[in-house]
Amino acid sequence: MKKIYIELSDICHLACSFCPAQKGVRGAMSPTVFTQALDYALPLSNRIALHILGDPCALPNLSQYLAITREKGAQVELVTSGVFSHKHSPQTLLSPPIYQLSTSLEAGIDNAISSYGTKLTPLLTQHLHNPNCFLNLRIQDSSLYQRQSILCDLLRQILPDSISTPTHKAYHPALHHALACNDLSALFDEKGRIRLWSRAFLIKKTHFTWAGFCKTSSTQKFCPALKEQIGILSDGTIVPCCMDTQGSINLGNIAHINLQEALRSPKAIAIKNGFKYGRAIEPLCQQCGFTS
């Protein structure tokens, strides 16, 4: 598999317009259960994403979970709003086992977080001088064009001044001019990225409607769920993908079965066989707007 999703918690304390899912219901996964989940996940993939719903950085003991993954040799992907990143040292968030740290700038903008730029600046400055992992600043394409001036104002606050020096030049020479003009549109490459410096990108993500929230339903779909990914919610529920934020397609609980057993279950096999022929058999999948 490409990656396994293990949700540390469904807590984030925010109300983002792009995230309709109910949060703060399951709470945090204990380190003991996390260790068990990781042991089940690593035979399938070395790449572990520590999120499905919620913000991992909202947990005060995030470093404890990272220490466990480091001991077991996993590569970690972390997605955060950036609102709570100041609660952890930049070194913690930018060093092994972290392989990729993605920050949703839209979350901070959406919630009008006070001193949001101040919370992010130390992280970006640290990464510029020591880019051990990939750092992605993300915003959805639908919001980008509606909020360009707000986004550009935030970027002017958080991007280190030194990227314009001879030692650390911005990878895109027109970046500073585009920020001054509040128009980044022409700088994105065919993959929707602007390279800021080594291993650092501003990424334009395609807008999608979360699973279960589409107004229309379709049975004609291909999906990599259960082939390229599988997820474990913070209460131990095993789900086919990172879009099943409410555990609607319950494949069992890691307290009782491991991931290999879940993948061999009749429900999982039926879902995979359906997608193999372009059919979504689960109602949640039929109402999902995500495209890989």
Side-chain angles (χ1 to χ4, degrees):
M1 288 191 169
K2 286 187 175 180
K3 71 177 73 172
I4 311 293
Y5 289 82
I6 303 178
E7 178 188 75
L8 296 186
S9 84
D10 63 341
I11 300 167
C12 80
H13 307 295
L14 301 179
C16 300
S17 61
F18 56 87
C19 179
Q22 186 178 10
K23 299 178 286 291
V25 176
R26 294 182 290 270
M29 178 182 285
S30 72
T32 301
V33 175
F34 174 69
T35 301
Q36 181 182 21
L38 196 59
D39 286 339
Y40 288 157
L42 286 176
L44 297 176
S45 178
N46 189 50
R47 189 68 56 82
I48 307 297
L50 296 183
H51 61 275
I52 290 181
L53 198 61
D55 189 334
C57 290
L59 294 176
N61 61 334
L62 174 61
S63 60
Q64 184 177 2
Y65 297 93
L66 294 178
I68 295 170
T69 58
R70 184 168 54 248
E71 289 172 7
K72 294 183 177 293
Q75 290 184 330
V76 169
E77 292 186 11
L78 211 64
V79 174
T80 175
S81 65
V83 174
F84 310 102
S85 59
H86 67 290
K87 295 181 177 294
H88 312 279
S89 71
Q91 186 72 14
T92 296
L93 297 179
L94 298 173
S95 302
I98 303 293
Y99 170 83
Q100 178 173 279
L101 176 67
S102 297
T103 299
S104 172
L105 298 183
E106 195 167 10
I109 294 172
D110 232 19
N111 290 271
I113 300 299
S114 175
S115 303
Y116 184 54
T118 304
K119 299 177 191 295
L120 294 178
T121 299
L123 194 67
L124 272 63
T125 301
Q126 171 80 10
H127 186 272
L128 174 67
H129 296 291
N130 193 16
N132 284 328
C133 67
F134 287 96
L135 176 66
N136 297 330
L137 305 178
R138 306 196 315 190
I139 190 156
Q140 290 189 19
D141 55 1
S142 60
S143 294
L144 174 67
Y145 300 107
Q146 298 168 7
R147 301 176 173 182
Q148 282 236 43
S149 61
I150 299 175
L151 173 62
C152 288
D153 181 58
L154 175 61
L155 291 172
R156 286 191 292 268
Q157 294 178 47
I158 66 177
L159 292 180
D161 292 337
S162 56
I163 66 171
S164 60
T165 67
T167 306
H168 294 292
K169 285 188 176 180
Y171 272 71
H172 203 298
L175 177 61
H176 294 283
H177 177 71
L179 288 174
C181 297
N182 290 328
D183 188 0
L184 299 167
S185 307
L187 303 190
F188 288 96
D189 63 19
E190 65 280 359
K191 294 182 179 180
R193 306 178 305 174
I194 299 174
R195 185 181 292 241
L196 302 172
W197 58 82
S198 178
R199 293 190 172 187
F201 299 87
L202 177 66
I203 296 181
K204 176 178 59 175
K205 301 292 289 184
T206 302
H207 175 78
F208 65 89
T209 303
W210 286 59
F213 292 91
C214 278
K215 294 180 180 179
T216 59
S217 179
S218 174
T219 59
Q220 305 301 308
K221 292 189 179 181
F222 290 96
C223 181
L226 298 173
K227 181 180 179 182
E228 297 182 1
Q229 64 168 270
I230 193 170
I232 304 172
L233 300 179
S234 60
D235 63 1
T237 301
I238 301 170
V239 292
C241 72
C242 60
M243 289 291 100
D244 188 358
T245 60
Q246 305 302 304
S248 300
I249 307 174
N250 189 332
L251 299 177
N253 194 288
I254 58 168
H256 309 296
I257 64 171
N258 61 41
L259 292 181
Q260 299 279 13
E261 292 170 322
L263 287 167
R264 293 194 296 266
S265 68
K267 181 183 287 189
I269 291 172
I271 292 170
K272 284 190 291 184
N273 286 341
F275 286 137
K276 183 178 179 180
Y277 297 103
R279 297 194 308 271
I281 66 171
E282 291 285 336
L284 184 77
C285 302
Q286 294 167 10
Q287 291 183 291
C288 180
F290 182 79
T291 55
S292 58

